[in-house]
Amino acid sequence: MTLLACSGPNVQQSIYWAIGFGHVLAWAGGVLTCLMVRDMLRARRFGWTIPPALVFLAFHPAWWISAWNGDCGSAKIDLSIVSMAAFVGLYVAHLKWLAKLSA
């Protein structure tokens, strides 16, 4: 008998939840990227935060990690949280850069 890591009565529900959670965090990262672009267009100065934000968005786990493998999407959830933490850190660095410009 083969024991699978992702089995049980609510498997599909947890897989779909992981997919939705990953997409919500990817959307939030896209919003933060758009806010950075908006701020840079308003300041008419372009900093270093946009290229990493675009790379983080392009390689977000929501696009390339499958929730249908043996872990019911827990890798997708964990990596999406790590990616969102990177987005938030980048946004904080962006805000500090803007504060330095206005000072």
Side-chain angles (χ1 to χ4, degrees):
M1 181 166 121
T2 304
L3 180 64
L4 297 175
C6 186
S7 60
N10 294 328
V11 169
Q12 280 192 329
Q13 182 181 2
S14 63
I15 289 173
Y16 288 132
W17 189 85
I19 291 170
F21 187 76
H23 286 166
V24 165
L25 289 184
W27 176 83
V31 167
L32 288 178
T33 303
C34 289
L35 288 174
M36 285 187 266
V37 169
R38 182 200 65 176
D39 290 342
M40 287 184 185
L41 289 175
R42 282 185 178 174
R44 295 184 182 160
R45 302 265 320 261
F46 294 96
W48 60 272
T49 57
I50 293 298
L54 292 175
V55 169
F56 290 161
L57 195 57
F59 293 106
H60 195 277
W63 317 137
W64 58 274
I65 297 279
S66 174
W68 293 98
N69 56 7
D71 67 346
C72 287
S74 63
K76 183 181 221 107
I77 291 170
D78 294 342
L79 290 174
S80 292
I81 290 170
V82 169
S83 178
M84 192 64 211
F87 268 114
V88 169
L90 194 61
Y91 189 68
V92 167
H94 171 76
L95 291 178
K96 286 185 178 185
W97 174 76
L98 280 178
K100 186 190 261 187
L101 277 181
S102 64

